[in-house]
Amino acid sequence: MTVELLGEIIVAAMLVISGIFGFVGSYGLVKLPDQMTRLHAPTKAATLGVGGVLLASLAWFFFFGDHPSWHELMITLFLFLTAPITGLMIAKTNMHLTWNPEELPDPGEDRNWATFGDSADSSLMDADPEIGQDEREHRE
């Protein structure tokens, strides 16, 4: 087996696998019933799909290009680091906008959900923007 054939097999396999992940993520985004379950499909499966395409591109440049391209590796690392954080922020926003604290599972004794704890009771988003910080502290 030549190096070129091995490279073609690796690149083709990565593209097919990433296409399957992308399809599953897209299908889940359309078919799942509510916002929180729909959030899971694109942040997990579609991220792996895009990451697989980028890694296939990295492998192609390694086997067939004039020189290896590390841009794809950096984009993949950035994608894998930022997509879960984005999903977490969207989930927390959904919790604030659509759920009451009583609807959430019990987090245990002496514990609160991070978005509904004591610090969430005094949110700066609820404060009057016309009032300065000193006046807010004085009122409390």
Side-chain angles (χ1 to χ4, degrees):
M1 183 178 292
T2 65
V3 175
E4 289 84 16
L5 181 60
L6 178 66
E8 288 177 5
I9 291 171
I10 290 173
V11 170
M14 292 177 88
L15 287 173
V16 169
I17 291 169
S18 64
I20 291 169
F21 275 114
F23 176 74
V24 169
S26 301
Y27 185 77
L29 180 63
V30 173
K31 289 295 185 178
L32 290 172
D34 61 5
Q35 291 106 344
M36 293 299 272
T37 55
R38 278 196 302 267
L39 177 66
H40 183 74
T43 56
K44 305 297 185 271
T47 301
L48 290 174
V50 172
V53 170
L54 289 167
L55 291 176
S57 175
L58 182 71
W60 187 90
F61 275 106
F62 178 76
F63 285 110
F64 304 109
D66 294 336
H67 54 78
S69 173
W70 297 106
H71 295 103
E72 288 87 355
L73 180 63
M74 298 303 293
I75 294 169
T76 304
L77 291 176
F78 182 72
L79 177 72
F80 286 166
L81 290 175
T82 58
I85 296 169
T86 304
L88 174 69
M89 292 299 125
I90 293 171
K92 289 179 99 175
T93 302
N94 186 28
M95 285 175 63
H96 272 289
L97 294 177
T98 60
W99 293 3
N100 292 323
E102 297 81 28
E103 296 174 335
L104 297 171
D106 183 28
E109 189 175 324
D110 294 334
R111 294 189 177 172
N112 291 321
W113 283 89
T115 57
F116 291 107
D118 294 332
S119 64
D121 292 336
S122 60
S123 174
L124 293 177
M125 294 181 70
D126 297 331
D128 187 359
E130 300 296 323
I131 300 174
Q133 180 67 28
D134 295 333
E135 289 184 45
R136 264 188 239 124
E137 291 173 359
H138 179 68
R139 286 186 177 182
E140 293 174 358

